[in-house]
């Protein structure tokens, strides 16, 4: 049954029907636009160095904007964010700082503390927290110490510098509440947590993305000081796309204006196009250069200047409003009059929308109402029987996912060609990065893995994001999956774009799986099945499936390659580069992903065939293709070698050398567990309703004597024979699980490791051309530089593959039932059925984030502030991956993206 509709649900319906554009404004600013491929016009593709952090305050961006705790419209024409100064920093704090991929001892890493505390799906209410040190921000110390450290040492973090000692920092809360679609109330609350009085300068900023400097569109928006309502300052904003808006700033702060233009004089020793440039507020405040801002009080970037002095424990609240209501016409007058004139704005304001001169009770009431509506909405999404701790984890997980939406703009052809008004890029770019993707034109709101560390979409990350997103906003989840299949994303040959650093790289093909899961989640949440969505994605995925078959199965033997397939450094060789041995890898994971892809497409085709018999034929195609893959992975690859090692009871990659020799690469890793993902049961009640499919399937079984080895038919229901399609048969499943559930191998107290702990004492080595290639068990950060060295698949716990393991075990249980039991963990005195095993893995994953019996969260590791300090201990970071032995968070610290799957695990499994 569909859930009871809350006010937020009704907003989602209005947005879906395009009656009201509730999602036009949201947290769509990036947290790092500098150092991205989009902004890189260097000859050699050195993105980090071409546009470094030091340039960001002074140099106009070409393709997008970043900011601190900010928002923008969905085309990022207008942007709002914070700028801060503690009186000590040598840089105005307008964006988050971190180290580049070449500066950090484990790759790029943000060096700040910020938390997404709340958001509704329409962003009708949002709240975040930034912790700002009162001491001078230690930019140089962070850089120097991390560069001094080797890969064998931990990263040097902001807390390690001592700037938070004695609680000498400000908590800065930023809240947004939409009074209406184009009427956004902004409340900024700063709290001095330190023991002494401290100065804090807050400059809420509004600026226009620079679209006029590149010679393609010369139209120029403008912000100017305007007549204000009593008790506030006002800037009028005029943009050719949106018309007029106003930023109202309570308390009559000084308004500063400049242009969002590059300071070429500072950066390049050149001549500035404008007397007023992007870093003017930095110059005005920190350098004392009063001439840096425009005395005419107009420009394309403006700020309201609030100088504060806060005593220990004191807080101050700033109130602003970004609105389409004309200030003088929108005032609250009681009788709807301003002096002698009737105010039409007062009459047109929607019910509950305060007057433009109301920064008191009416303004505050909007926040109270939106907070109440957010509570009501999440009460229908978060199981009421959960502990308050588990509810908080789910809520912050959803909030992080919703805050991680970002405007992403990239026109590859224009990027390669260069702009009419800019210097011509080197011709070598046409033979460099993304040269084969000139059709790609992105101009959309996309769910990001992490808006600082990975401020660009990744195909397989995005698929996982959509699972928890579907619980709160199925429409957005579906839009995201459709987006990557559109002709301005998908390559004409059918390949999906991987990520901006190399669109041609290959991510695991999980799009069909995600579409099928989102379809079923929405059916449960809304009580309505969107077959149109399923049909739309299915047709495009046929193109992608064909690309996989043609490009990644070169010998036509149903054994697939694919390169690194998202598992960065899991192999003994770089799987995306030519092998030092020559030859190629026959990949257990590549082949298994394709088996899973077949079964996902089969499930979708069978669903669509219920109403359209035309899909029965294509369902038959995927059924047969799966059987061929199952036979190939188990019986013979090219030249007769299976990827299953009977002696070890495990799946491995096979190295095929130029002289025809074949060798197992005997690394016990996630590569050998991925075959479990390809599993599906054909129920007789479905097959019997599809006579064409049933007839073809029976013919195929009758005419291929070896088929029964790959389709188990031992179970029956009242309706007839049940058929299990799986790459792993019953005996293999027992043997693989005995390793996976062994706590001395894969089974950590916090989930399933990506590499067996067996390799701690037994590293795997290959000697080639005088070099030793080696894989060790590394439960924390990577000691190698593969793929930038900031991700590690040699021991840690990763949520996406663990989630698929949980789901696959549930599917096996659906077929085998309670009679199929294994030791859990291996060597334990008790056995469990596979549903119980799946529940145990879920429990271990979930407990990474929950407080244990000592009140400590494993995710926070040994960082005592996060474990015990009342202003930190309830703030949860959703890391990229987790320590294989102690569960502490590692890698990107705001990768709520696929780690947000914890919300789905809690929802379905409890705690």
């Amino acid at each position: 049954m569909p859930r009871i509709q809350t006010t937020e649900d009704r907003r989602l319906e209005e947005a879906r029907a395009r009656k009201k554009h509730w999602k036009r404004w949201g947290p769509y600013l990036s947290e790092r636009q500098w150092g991205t491929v989009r902004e890189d016009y260097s000859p050699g593709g050195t993105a980090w160095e071409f546009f470094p952090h030091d340039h960001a305050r002074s140099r106009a961006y070409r393709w997008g904007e970043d900011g601190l705790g900010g928002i923008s419209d969905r085309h990022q024409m207008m942007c709002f964010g914070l700028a801060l100064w503690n009186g000590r920093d040598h840089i105005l704090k307008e964006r988050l700082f971190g180290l580049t991929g070449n500066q950090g001892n484990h790759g790029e890493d943000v060096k700040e503390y910020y938390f997404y505390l709340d958001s509704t799906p329409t962003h009708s209410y949002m709240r975040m927290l930034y912790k700002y040190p009162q001491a001078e921000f230690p930019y140089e110390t962070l850089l120097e110490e991390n560069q001094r450290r080797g890969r064998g040492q931990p990263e040097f973090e902001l807390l390690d510098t001592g700037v938070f000692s004695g609680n000498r920092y400000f908590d800065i809360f930023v809240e947004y509440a939409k009074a209406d679609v184009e009427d956004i109330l902004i409340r900024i609350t700063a709290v001095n947590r330190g023991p002494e009085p401290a100065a804090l300068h807050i400059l809420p900023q509004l600026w226009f993305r620079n679209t006029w400097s590149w010679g393609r569109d010369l139209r120029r928006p403008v912000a100017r000081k305007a007549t204000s309502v009593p008790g506030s300052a006002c800037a009028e904003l005029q943009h050719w796309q949106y018309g007029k808006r106003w930023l109202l700033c309570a308390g009559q702060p000084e308004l500063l204006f400049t242009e969002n233009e590059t300071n070429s004089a500072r950066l390049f020793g050149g001549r500035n196009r404008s007397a007023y440039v992007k870093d003017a507020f930095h110059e005005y405040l920190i350098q004392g250069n009063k001439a840096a801002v425009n005395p005419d009080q107009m420009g394309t970037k403006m700020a309201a200047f609030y100088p504060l002095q806060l005593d220990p424990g004191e807080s101050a609240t700033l109130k602003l409003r970004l609105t389409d209501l004309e200030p003088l016409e929108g005032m609250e007058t009681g009788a709807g009059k301003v002096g002698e004139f009737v105010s039409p704005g007062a009459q047109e304001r929607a019910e509950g929308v305060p007057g433009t001169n109301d920064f008191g009770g009416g303004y505050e009431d909007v926040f109270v109402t939106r907070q109440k509506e957010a509570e009501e909405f999440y009460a229908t999404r978060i199981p009421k029987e959960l502990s308050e701790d588990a509810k908080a984890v789910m809520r912050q997980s959803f909030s992080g996912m919703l805050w991680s939406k970002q405007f992403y703009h990239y026109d590859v052809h224009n990027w390669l060609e260069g702009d009419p008004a800019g210097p011509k890029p080197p011709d070598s770019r046409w033979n460099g990065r993304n040269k084969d993707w000139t059709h790609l034109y992105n101009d959309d709101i996309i769910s990001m893995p992490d808006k600082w560390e990975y401020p660009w979409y990744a195909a397989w990350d995005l698929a996982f994001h959509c699972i928890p997103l579907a619980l709160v906003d199925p429409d957005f989840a579906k839009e995201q999956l459709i987006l990557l299949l559109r002709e301005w994303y998908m390559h004409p040959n059918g390949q999906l774009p991987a990520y901006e650093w190399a669109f041609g790289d290959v991510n695991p093909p999980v799009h069909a799986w995600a579409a099928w899961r989102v379809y079923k989640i929405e059916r449960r949440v809304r009580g309505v099945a969107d077959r149109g969505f399923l049909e739309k994605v299915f047709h495009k995925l046929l193109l992608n499936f064909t690309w996989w078959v043609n490009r990644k199965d070169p010998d036509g033997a149903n054994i697939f390659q694919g390169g690194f397939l998202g598992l960065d450094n899991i192999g003994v060789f770089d799987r995306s580069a030519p092998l030092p041995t020559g030859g190629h890898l026959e990949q257990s994971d590549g082949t298994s992903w394709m088996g899973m892809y077949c079964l996902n497409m089969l499930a979708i085709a069978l669903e669509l065939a219920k109403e359209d018999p035309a899909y029965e034929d294509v369902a038959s195609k995927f059924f047969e293709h799966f059987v061929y893959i199952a036979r190939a992975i188990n019986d013979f690859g090219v030249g007769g070698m299976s990827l299953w090692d009977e002696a070890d009871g495990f799946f491995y990659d096979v190295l095929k050398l130029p002289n025809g020799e074949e060798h197992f690469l005997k690394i016990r890793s996630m590569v050998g567990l991925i075959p479990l993902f390809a599993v599906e049961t054909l129920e007789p009640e479905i097959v019997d309703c599809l006579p064409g499919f049933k007839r073809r399937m029976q013919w195929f079984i009758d005419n291929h004597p070896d088929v029964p080895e790959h389709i188990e038919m031992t179970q029956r229901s009242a309706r007839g024979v049940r058929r299990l399609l799986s790459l792993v048969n019953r005996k293999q499943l027992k043997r693989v699980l005995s390793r996976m559930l062994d706590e001395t191998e894969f089974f950590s107290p916090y989930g399933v490791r990506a590499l067996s702990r067996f390799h701690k004492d037994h590293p795997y080595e290959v000697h080639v051309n005088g070099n030793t290639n080696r894989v060790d068990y590394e439960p924390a950060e990577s000691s190698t530089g593969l793929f930038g060295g900031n991700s590690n698949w040699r021991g840690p716990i990763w949520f996406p593959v663990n989630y698929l393991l949980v789901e696959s075990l549930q599917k096996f249980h659906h077929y085998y039932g309670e009679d199929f039991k294994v030791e859990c963990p291996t060597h334990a005195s008790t056995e469990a059925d596979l549903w119980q095993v799946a529940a145990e893995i879920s429990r271990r994953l979930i407990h990474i984030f929950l407080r244990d019996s000592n009140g400590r969260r494993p995710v926070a590791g040994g960082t005592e502030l996060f474990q015990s300090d009342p202003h930190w201990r309830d703030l949860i970071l959703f890391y990229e991956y987790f320590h294989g032995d102690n569960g502490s968070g590692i890698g990107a610290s705001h990768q709520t993206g696929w780690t947000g799957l914890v919300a789905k695990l809690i929802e379905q499994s409890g705690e």
Side-chain angles (χ1 to χ4, degrees), residues 383 517 803 806-807 810 835 842 903-910:
R517 293 293 292 122
Y803 184 85
V806 168
E807 183 180 280
Q810 291 172 336
W835 188 269
S842 294
K904 185 69 177 73
L905 289 174
I906 296 173
E907 188 249 6
Q908 70 191 28
S909 302

Side-chain angles (χ1 to χ4, degrees), residues 54 69 237 281 305 316 514 523 623 648 656 676 774 790 828 875:
D54 185 54
L237 317 162
F281 306 150
F305 178 35
R523 185 171 61 188
F623 168 79
D648 285 6
K656 185 167 184 179
L676 299 178
R774 173 171 168 148
N790 61 335
L875 303 172

Side-chain angles (χ1 to χ4, degrees), residues 354-642:
T356 51
N357 59 336
D358 182 357
F359 282 100
Y363 181 95
E364 294 295 335
D365 285 348
V366 174
F367 280 93
V368 171
T369 300
R370 294 296 175 262
Q371 287 171 327
K372 181 170 178 272
E373 290 165 354
E375 295 296 328
E376 290 170 349
F377 175 78
Y378 281 111
T380 68
R381 265 60 179 182
I382 298 174
K384 62 180 181 297
E385 63 273 12
L386 293 175
S387 67
E388 292 306 308
D389 194 28
K391 287 178 180 177
V393 171
M394 272 191 83
R395 184 74 170 266
Q396 288 189 50
S397 171
F398 286 134
S399 302
M401 299 207 70
L402 293 167
W403 269 91
S404 295
K405 296 179 183 179
Q406 179 187 305
F407 171 73
Y408 185 89
H409 187 30
Y410 191 14
D411 176 342
V412 171
H413 186 274
N414 280 354
W415 176 77
L416 288 170
E417 185 178 62
D419 292 310
K424 183 177 180 294
D427 291 338
S428 60
R429 284 162 57 82
W430 288 99
N431 296 311
R433 178 174 287 138
N434 297 330
K435 64 183 176 61
D436 297 324
W437 291 78
T438 54
H439 73 288
L440 189 134
Y441 182 89
N442 299 164
D443 186 355
D444 298 286
I445 303 301
I446 305 179
S447 176
M448 295 291 146
D450 178 319
K451 288 205 296 186
W452 193 94
E453 194 141 338
Y454 305 115
W456 29 262
Y457 63 87
W460 82 307
D461 293 61
L462 186 63
F464 287 105
H465 300 181
C466 291
I467 307 308
L469 282 170
L471 293 173
V472 293
D473 190 355
D475 288 324
F476 182 69
K478 291 186 295 183
E479 289 163 7
Q480 294 292 285
L481 292 170
I482 290 170
L483 197 58
L484 260 66
L485 299 171
R486 295 308 303 260
E487 47 274 26
W488 48 90
Y489 280 76
M490 176 187 272
H491 196 280
N493 65 18
Q495 185 179 8
L496 296 185
Y499 38 72
E500 66 176 30
W501 286 90
F503 283 126
D505 268 1
V506 183
N507 280 183
V510 290
H511 224 75
W513 167 79
W516 179 231
R517 293 293 292 122
V518 166
Y519 171 81
K520 292 193 289 185
I521 291 170
E522 182 185 31
R523 185 171 61 188
R524 175 169 60 85
V525 169
R526 283 188 173 152
V528 177
D530 189 349
R531 298 177 65 82
F533 157 73
L534 203 59
E535 201 162 5
K536 182 178 287 189
V537 296
F538 183 76
H539 285 288
K540 285 298 189 73
L541 286 168
L542 287 173
L543 301 176
N544 180 246
F545 186 90
T546 303
W547 175 84
W548 266 91
V549 171
N550 290 339
R551 295 297 182 94
K552 297 302 172 184
D553 177 22
D555 299 307
N558 298 299
I559 294 291
F560 289 82
Q561 299 170 34
F564 87 114
L565 286 174
L567 310 184
D568 301 33
N569 65 341
I570 204 163
V572 71
F573 304 120
D574 181 347
R575 301 197 305 169
S576 281
L579 297 177
T581 59
H584 66 269
L585 287 180
E586 294 178 348
Q587 292 182 218
S588 176
D589 56 336
T591 305
S592 303
W593 287 121
M594 283 303 289
M596 175 182 166
Y597 198 172
C598 275
L599 293 182
N600 299 147
M601 294 294 276
L602 172 60
I604 295 172
L606 291 174
E607 177 73 7
L608 295 173
K610 291 177 182 177
E611 293 187 10
D612 187 348
Y615 286 97
E616 291 187 49
D617 285 353
V618 74
S620 297
K621 176 261 183 298
F622 285 112
F623 168 79
E624 294 175 16
H625 204 135
F626 173 77
V627 173
Y628 291 138
I629 291 173
R631 183 172 63 179
I633 196 172
N634 284 292
D635 297 346
F636 53 90
V638 178
M641 190 165 183
S642 166

Side-chain angles (χ1 to χ4, degrees), residues 681-684 712-717 720-724 814-816:
T681 298
L682 290 182
E683 300 291 357
E712 187 158 339
M713 295 180 281
T714 58
Q715 306 292 323
R716 297 184 66 86
S717 69
V721 175
R722 304 175 70 222
R723 298 172 175 88
L724 179 71
H814 176 68
Y815 182 80
Y816 287 122

